[in-house]
Amino acid sequence: MLNDTIINAERELYLTLLELAQQQPIAYEWLKQLPTWLNEIKDKANYAHAPAYQASVARLPNLNVNNVDLNSDTLTIDTSLNESERKQAMALLKQLMPWRKGPFQIGGQIGDDESGIKIDTEWHSDWKWQRVAPHLGELKGRRVLDVGGGSGYHGWRMAGAGADTVIIIDPSCLFYHQFMAIRHFVGTADAHTHTKDRGRYRTHYIPVPLEALPAHSQLFDTVFSMGVLYHRQSPFEHLQQLRGQLVKGGELVLETLVIEGDANTVLVPHDRYAQMNNVYFLPSVAALIGWLEKVGFSDVRCVDVAVTSTEEQRKTEWMTYHSLADFLDPNDSTKTMEGYPAPMRATLIAKR
């Protein structure tokens, strides 16, 4: 028997935007494009694996879930799986590999792989959240946009922190269906509890890039862009687009690769950076602060700088391809294979 997880999630997204449009008419522009956005991500002509991904989600077993912890470092779904259900769910979730952002635990106890399923993702995304969360403004009751949200791990954590509405965007067909797989088990655990919207999901996913959204929507109290800026050929355009989604006085949380240096230091990799061919600009923290101020942000502050370790990003059973250790100089881990400084990430917070 197939489940209706994707249909239900997309209906909830539509209803959320419809209600928002009654308060903020710009959201009608989102609603007009929503059918196209949702149809394109499932079109085999665009994504050859889309039908297989949809089938994997639809065939996930329906379980009795006792509790969902969105505040745990490992997003935890408390449920009991019999051996048949565990094997079925495990096989279907592995058809959605590679899993890059997490971790997630479905059934069993954390660290117990015999009675449950631990999706041990490439990234310890919980470590990033631990670095970022102490510096955030209040998320409770706020409308949040998570740009480039991957499988949705951080979006779920934002909901766990009390956000009223979280909209994750990312154009990846695989990540969209990974989110839907986790949504299947989360069910209504993130639903509103107040009378007006009781039962309505708070966490949603639109499979588009930032530039596809209506410009200057000014719908969000907080906008996150983590691990995106260095992939953009025009970083200033990206920063302007982020600003355009924020309400006046709203908060931007920007996390990106940086290098050491002064306000004039920016690395432009000649070819690849850590074997990635889509990395364009790595500024110093001082330069990045200048960029943010130049496009109109204020109260810009750097709250964290961390060198990425091979413990935080690594190959696992759920991501079996090359990872960070394969991209560093084997004789000097402070450098990439290309001789550039090893990945270092900074988190900056700014006001619109």
Side-chain angles (χ1 to χ4, degrees):
M1 181 176 178
L2 302 181
N3 63 64
D4 295 324
T5 296
I6 295 178
I7 293 173
N8 292 339
E10 292 180 346
R11 181 181 65 243
E12 288 285 324
L13 170 60
Y14 172 81
L15 292 172
T16 295
L17 289 176
L18 182 62
E19 181 178 338
L20 178 58
Q22 294 168 6
Q23 308 163 34
Q24 304 283 346
I26 186 64
Y28 282 116
E29 296 301 317
W30 292 53
L31 279 168
K32 288 177 186 177
Q33 298 184 62
L34 187 61
T36 298
W37 291 340
L38 298 180
N39 288 332
E40 286 184 347
I41 203 67
K42 291 174 285 192
D43 187 346
K44 186 176 181 180
N46 297 326
Y47 304 97
H49 296 294
Y53 294 157
Q54 291 173 61
S56 294
V57 174
R59 291 164 54 206
L60 288 168
N62 292 311
L63 305 174
N64 292 320
V65 174
N66 302 314
N67 183 59
V68 175
D69 189 350
L70 300 178
N71 285 312
S72 173
D73 287 341
T74 299
L75 193 153
T76 305
I77 295 148
D78 180 9
T79 185
S80 296
L81 300 91
N82 61 40
E83 187 59 20
S84 175
E85 290 170 334
R86 181 178 177 278
K87 287 181 177 179
Q88 179 186 0
M90 176 84 80
L92 292 168
L93 291 168
K94 286 206 167 183
Q95 288 178 15
L96 298 174
M97 288 171 56
W99 286 79
R100 297 192 182 277
K101 304 294 176 66
F104 305 95
Q105 178 82 29
I106 302 165
Q109 301 294 320
I110 294 177
D112 175 14
D113 293 334
E114 297 302 318
S115 59
I117 300 169
K118 169 69 178 291
I119 303 179
D120 187 15
T121 50
E122 177 188 17
W123 281 88
H124 261 295
S125 302
D126 50 317
W127 295 10
K128 181 181 295 188
W129 187 250
Q130 290 167 10
R131 293 194 294 267
V132 171
H135 307 287
L136 299 176
E138 179 65 59
L139 288 182
K140 189 173 183 179
R142 293 170 75 91
R143 191 180 304 127
V144 179
L145 178 67
D146 183 16
V147 178
S151 65
Y153 172 85
H154 289 122
W156 292 117
R157 296 301 302 270
M158 296 164 199
D164 183 77
T165 301
V166 178
I167 295 181
I168 304 159
I169 63 169
D170 196 302
S172 166
C173 180
L174 175 61
F175 294 161
Y176 180 69
H177 290 92
Q178 288 176 347
F179 170 85
M180 290 300 174
I182 300 302
R183 162 58 76 191
H184 174 74
F185 296 113
V186 169
T188 60
D190 69 322
H192 288 284
T193 56
H194 52 73
T195 303
K196 183 170 71 74
D197 296 317
R198 185 178 298 277
R200 183 72 47 79
Y201 292 174
R202 290 186 293 125
T203 315
H204 307 277
Y205 202 116
I206 303 178
V208 295
L210 176 62
E211 56 268 26
L213 300 181
H216 309 293
S217 293
Q218 298 184 38
L219 289 174
F220 298 94
D221 303 296
T222 307
V223 171
F224 288 80
S225 172
M226 299 193 292
V228 179
L229 184 66
Y230 51 87
H231 291 310
R232 310 312 302 162
Q233 293 185 21
S234 178
F236 281 92
E237 185 176 2
H238 181 74
L239 296 176
Q240 289 165 341
Q241 291 165 344
L242 293 170
R243 188 173 183 274
Q245 298 301 327
L246 278 166
V247 300
K248 187 175 181 180
E251 183 172 84
L252 172 69
V253 182
L254 178 70
E255 189 259 14
T256 189
L257 291 171
V258 295
I259 59 169
E260 299 282 359
D262 61 18
N264 298 308
T265 304
V266 180
L267 171 64
V268 181
H270 177 69
D271 185 12
R272 293 174 178 262
Y273 175 84
Q275 291 297 289
M276 294 182 286
N277 63 2
N278 60 345
V279 173
Y280 297 99
F281 296 92
L282 279 69
S284 67
V285 170
L288 186 54
I289 289 173
W291 292 3
L292 287 162
E293 292 174 342
K294 191 174 181 67
V295 300
F297 285 100
S298 61
D299 299 331
V300 183
R301 55 197 173 99
C302 179
V303 298
D304 183 77
V305 178
V307 174
T308 306
S309 71
T310 52
E311 287 77 36
E312 182 173 2
Q313 182 189 7
R314 74 273 191 257
K315 186 185 304 184
T316 73
E317 177 187 353
W318 292 83
M319 203 301 290
T320 58
Y321 305 117
H322 288 171
S323 191
L324 179 60
D326 303 294
F327 307 146
L328 299 177
D329 184 331
N331 299 312
D332 184 356
S333 62
T334 68
K335 297 179 180 179
T336 68
M337 289 183 66
E338 302 84 2
Y340 297 120
M344 179 170 65
R345 294 171 178 270
T347 302
L348 283 78
I349 294 179
K351 297 291 184 183
R352 185 189 194 281

